[in-house]
Structures are given as structure tokens and as C-alpha cells.
Amino acid sequence: MTPQKAIIFQTCIETLLPILGYFYWNWDASFILMFYLIDWLLFWALTLFKARKRIDFSGNETEKQIATRHLAIAFLCILSTSLAVFFILPNIHPDFSWTERIWAFLSYSDMGIQQGFILIPLMILSGYLTYKQQFLLPQLFRKYPVSQFTRESVKQGIILSLAFGVVLLISRFVHIPDEVLLFGTVLGVVIYRLLTRGRLTI
């Protein structure tokens, strides 16, 4: 399989889970938004591990400052996007309760298995295996500066913060159907990942 085909295959697999969740596991927009926020937080954590490994190898103080700045900005973007998501759905549904939806996400059962408590460990395991196979084993920390690993988290964070900020603003004046929010998020994530992974960045 060529690298480009592998990228497309990986992206399709990642997209399949929320789609299956919607059609077969009764996931709604809140479930899928939580899924992507958890995925984003995991991406940030893996970026942190990559940066630390590179800095431990290089011992470069300038690289440490760059990584600290990039990761701090990215984390602030996660917080701001999470805050926007927190207010979007109550704007759409006045009786919406995040406490109820978070518990429903974690405890939802299918075939007797509470998939929320299984899904998150599987996402962590998948992220760790990717980190090990695609970063540690090829020893990419020896080849690239720390900015190669951290700048993507900043760019992704700014784009998502702006996008959900706009959605939050619109939701205060216009009713946004769940399906538009749900499939708009999935489509946006797919397009972004195909574009960025198509350049074969790390």
C-alpha cells in the first residue's frame, strides 16, 4: 500500500466510528463532539510526548521554549473550543444537560458493554501504538526540530477555535439542526485530515 493510500485508509477508518455511532449506536451531536474533543486532547498529549523526547535528545533550550509556547497555545485552544461546544448545544436545545449527556456517553451500553468506558482506553492504546511505531521506532526525534512536532497542534487549535466560535455565534441567532452540526463536524475533520496528512507531515 502506498503512503497516500495508507493515509486515505486511516482517515476513512477514523471517520467510520462516529458515522457508525450515529446510525447504529444512537449517538447524537453531543456524543460525536465529545468523541472529537477526546481525540484532540489525546493528539495534544502525544504531541507533548514527542516534544519532550526531542528536547531530551537535543538538550536545546530554544527548542524547549518553542515547545512550551506552542503547547500552551494549543491547550488554550482546546479549552476555548470546549467552552464554545459547552454553550452551542444548550443554545440549540434549551433543556440540554451536559451532566446527563456526559454520563450517557460514558455509560451507554451495546450488547451489554458500556462502550464509553471501553472506547476511551482503546483510543489511548491506539494513540500510544501510533506514537511508538511511527515516531519512536523510526527515531524521528533525531531527525527533526521540535517545531516539526508542535506547530500542527497550534494550527489545528486556532482553526477549530475560530470555527466553533463562529458556530457558537450563529447558534445564538439561528437554530442549527443536530444533523448539520454533526455531519458538518465530521466532514470538516475528514477534509482537514486529508489535506494535512496528504503533505505527509509528522
Side-chain angles (χ1 to χ4, degrees), residues 40 43 77 151-161 192:
W40 186 11
F43 172 77
C77 289
R151 63 189 175 194
E152 175 62 26
S153 63
V154 175
K155 181 177 69 174
Q156 176 177 295
I158 292 173
I159 291 173
L160 285 170
S161 294
Y192 180 82

Side-chain angles (χ1 to χ4, degrees), residues 49-122:
F49 289 138
K50 290 178 181 180
R52 288 180 59 181
K53 188 67 177 179
R54 167 62 190 180
I55 292 167
D56 288 343
F57 171 75
S58 68
N60 189 311
E61 188 64 27
T62 301
E63 287 198 315
K64 184 176 181 180
Q65 294 172 359
I66 291 172
T68 301
R69 182 170 64 252
H70 283 181
L71 288 167
I73 293 171
F75 190 72
L76 287 175
C77 289
I78 293 175
L79 291 179
S80 63
T81 303
S82 299
L83 190 61
V85 170
F86 181 82
F87 286 107
I88 285 171
L89 287 171
N91 279 347
I92 297 173
H93 305 289
D95 59 346
F96 185 87
S97 169
W98 272 111
T99 302
E100 185 273 330
R101 297 316 294 159
I102 289 172
W103 177 247
F105 176 80
L106 293 174
S107 62
Y108 179 79
S109 295
D110 185 48
M111 295 183 295
I113 300 173
Q114 291 186 324
Q115 65 180 17
F117 291 108
I118 299 297
L119 177 62
I120 294 174
L122 285 177

